[in-house]
Amino acid sequence: FKENRKDDIWLVDFYAPWCGHCKKLEPVWNEVGVEMERMGSPVKVGKMDATSFSSIASEFGVRGYPTIKLLKGDLAYNYRGPRTKDDIIEFANRVAGPLIRPLPSQHIFEHVQKRHRVLFVYVGGESPLKEKYIDVASELIVYTYFFSASENVLPEYVTLPELPAVVVFKDGTYFVYDEYEDGDLSSWINRERFQGYLNVDGFTLYELGDTGKLVAIAVIDDKNSSVEHTRLKSIIQEVARDYRDNFHRDFQFGHMDGNDYINSLLMDEVTIPTIVVLNTSNQQYFLPDRHIENTKDMVKFINNILDGTAEAQGGDGLLQRIKRVIYDAKSTVMSVFKSSPLLGCFLFGLPLGVISIMCYGICTADPDGGVEENETAKKESSDRELTDEGTEEEQEEGKNGRDTELSDDELQQKDLMEKKKD
């Protein structure tokens, strides 16, 4: 594979046999291979055990599992989208094809425009701008398609100030790239590759982090048709549409169904419906300090964020990192107990029980041992005293003995005195 891979275009899943996510991807990956072969795609689909062939995995920069890459010549393109059959096939077909796809007629242009919610088109002949456009396409083809067309192919309502030009069609209108106002072409395309308003999920939020924009989200329940859920969603849509010129450089707008992902991101329980503004680059977030009643309130909230008067919460400081570790550990334990209470009791109860017994043994062993040693020491000391001084009976006999000896002397002296008298 390493020697011959440049002869073909490869879509490869780098996996580890023990990885749960890899096992979950396996049936989807098999469907991708069958579908690509049925379509007659030039892309070959395969998978590689990155733990067995670690040198090749390292060569392609594999850091986690599963990692999906499309290998095309000397280039390796990472796939970071949803792990569904349709999304993976769409990625493979887009990256495997030409960087710039020509639109030769107005009919084809209209057909392509219906298929793509965001459409980038280069208009004009050879120029330095086209060279930049090709370079950007080689970098961002993993995210979106790039097309080229002549001016007469574009719809009649399109008016270009000058040629050549790069135009993006989205949200029912179009926007022309201006180098002086929009800066670097790559940054502009990266910012404009999303619609003004999105249905945001975890993968989309991850990609939005590359744009450098703040993400204003209405966190709602799509199944709940109450006035409050509908109203917050409408407010975000209106701001995205009516205030595009004011905020589109700094903000991306959308809504998210459910609060589970937001709760894990904020490490807090968010009550829905609500509005959250996320800074995905440093994990900060902003919550409105009062109820958002209308579009005017939302615009004021956004302006407060831009001028720095709104209080930022979260972040990636040391305290927040410690809090994240504790939160992730707590979440892991809770998820284990929810999915399998018996397994949770075994995994966490058994070690805690062993540790508790060891602690109890340590705490109770020392005092008992000390008492026994003290009692033994006292007993030995008492024995030594009795040995040195003798028993009470021995001491009494000694005293009586001394009294008896003293009486005999007195008798001898008495006899002597009587003899002298005689």
Side-chain angles (χ1 to χ4, degrees):
F1 171 77
K2 186 175 180 180
E3 295 175 355
N4 302 322
R5 70 168 186 83
K6 293 184 180 180
D7 298 337
D8 299 290
I9 301 173
W10 280 91
L11 182 66
V12 182
D13 167 29
F14 292 91
Y15 72 97
W18 44 261
C19 171
H21 294 292
C22 301
K23 294 177 181 177
K24 187 176 180 180
L25 176 63
E26 186 174 1
V28 176
W29 195 253
N30 293 335
E31 292 178 6
V32 170
V34 172
E35 184 66 16
M36 295 289 281
E37 185 177 6
R38 187 191 65 80
M39 294 167 54
S41 172
V43 179
K44 292 187 175 182
V45 181
K47 61 181 181 179
M48 178 176 290
D49 183 350
T51 61
S52 297
F53 303 98
S54 56
S55 60
I56 297 180
S58 299
E59 180 183 340
F60 292 117
V62 176
R63 297 289 181 270
Y65 311 112
T67 294
I68 298 174
K69 288 180 177 284
L70 188 134
L71 311 178
K72 183 180 179 182
D74 294 324
L75 301 175
Y77 296 92
N78 285 330
Y79 176 71
R80 299 193 298 179
R83 291 167 186 161
T84 64
K85 182 188 75 171
D86 293 339
D87 287 305
I88 295 173
I89 290 175
E90 172 73 8
F91 163 81
N93 290 334
R94 180 172 67 250
V95 179
L99 286 177
I100 312 298
R101 301 168 189 252
L103 300 173
S105 67
Q106 194 168 12
H107 174 73
I108 294 179
F109 179 92
E110 293 173 355
H111 174 73
V112 171
Q113 190 176 16
K114 290 178 181 178
R115 291 189 56 199
H116 299 276
R117 296 175 179 176
V118 179
L119 184 67
F120 289 99
V121 182
Y122 173 82
V123 185
E126 299 296 326
S127 68
L129 180 61
K130 185 175 183 180
E131 294 178 3
K132 292 181 182 179
Y133 186 71
I134 294 173
D135 290 340
V136 174
S138 64
E139 175 189 355
L140 301 180
I141 190 67
V142 293
Y143 299 121
T144 187
Y145 287 90
F146 293 88
F147 298 90
S148 65
S150 59
E151 190 175 12
N152 59 356
V153 170
L154 302 180
E156 295 181 358
Y157 63 83
V158 177
T159 302
L160 301 178
E162 61 180 359
L163 292 177
V166 177
V167 188
V168 58
F169 294 85
K170 66 176 187 177
D171 301 330
T173 184
Y174 69 97
F175 305 96
V176 182
Y177 167 69
D178 187 325
E179 184 176 2
Y180 297 101
E181 292 186 3
D182 300 318
D184 180 63
L185 178 62
S186 177
S187 299
W188 179 78
I189 291 178
N190 198 34
R191 291 195 305 268
E192 297 293 342
R193 62 188 176 91
F194 295 99
Q195 293 175 277
Y197 182 88
L198 295 171
N199 183 354
V200 181
D201 57 17
F203 285 106
T204 308
L205 196 61
Y206 180 77
E207 286 191 25
L208 287 171
D210 296 335
T211 66
K213 292 183 179 183
L214 299 177
V215 186
I217 303 175
V219 185
I220 63 173
D221 182 357
D222 274 340
K223 297 178 181 178
N224 192 325
S225 58
S226 66
V227 176
E228 184 66 10
H229 288 255
T230 306
R231 186 179 62 81
L232 287 182
K233 184 178 177 180
S234 300
I235 289 173
I236 296 291
Q237 287 175 326
E238 290 175 13
V239 173
R241 182 184 66 246
D242 299 339
Y243 292 84
R244 173 189 157 80
D245 293 339
N246 303 80
F247 301 135
H248 84 280
R249 292 177 183 273
D250 303 301
F251 281 85
Q252 175 65 51
F253 298 93
H255 78 273
M256 177 173 280
D257 180 22
N259 62 345
D260 290 342
Y261 189 86
I262 295 296
N263 287 344
S264 65
L265 201 63
L266 273 55
M267 294 183 288
D268 197 1
E269 189 72 24
V270 176
T271 303
I272 58 174
T274 189
I275 288 176
V276 180
V277 176
L278 303 171
N279 186 340
T280 55
S281 63
N282 60 6
Q283 298 182 10
Q284 286 185 342
Y285 63 92
F286 302 85
L287 297 173
D289 57 357
R290 62 177 182 176
H291 193 61
I292 302 294
E293 295 287 348
N294 48 45
T295 304
K296 183 178 179 181
D297 290 341
M298 186 65 199
V299 171
K300 184 178 180 180
F301 176 44
I302 292 175
N303 284 326
N304 289 342
I305 295 173
L306 291 175
D307 62 26
T309 57
E311 181 183 359
Q313 302 181 49
D316 54 1
L318 178 60
L319 185 62
Q320 285 298 120
R321 293 179 184 178
I322 296 173
K323 185 178 178 182
R324 168 63 63 184
V325 171
I326 296 173
Y327 179 85
D328 289 342
K330 180 181 177 182
S331 300
T332 302
V333 172
M334 293 299 294
S335 63
V336 170
F337 273 100
K338 285 182 179 179
S339 61
S340 179
L342 292 177
L343 179 62
C345 292
F346 177 78
L347 291 177
F348 300 103
L350 183 61
L352 289 175
V354 173
I355 293 172
S356 300
I357 293 172
M358 292 174 64
C359 292
Y360 176 79
I362 292 172
C363 293
T364 57
D366 286 342
D368 293 345
V371 170
E372 291 176 1
E373 289 177 0
N374 290 335
E375 291 178 350
T376 303
K378 289 180 180 178
K379 185 176 181 181
E380 291 177 353
S381 176
S382 176
D383 291 343
R384 283 195 300 270
E385 291 177 357
L386 292 175
T387 303
D388 294 339
E389 298 180 3
T391 63
E392 294 180 358
E393 294 178 352
E394 291 174 344
Q395 292 178 17
E396 187 65 27
E397 289 177 2
K399 183 178 179 181
N400 294 336
R402 283 193 298 271
D403 291 344
T404 304
E405 292 174 0
L406 183 60
S407 298
D408 292 339
D409 291 337
E410 289 177 351
L411 291 173
Q412 289 177 1
Q413 288 179 1
K414 187 176 180 181
D415 291 339
L416 181 63
M417 290 298 291
E418 287 177 356
K419 288 179 180 181
K420 286 181 177 181
K421 281 182 179 183
D422 292 340

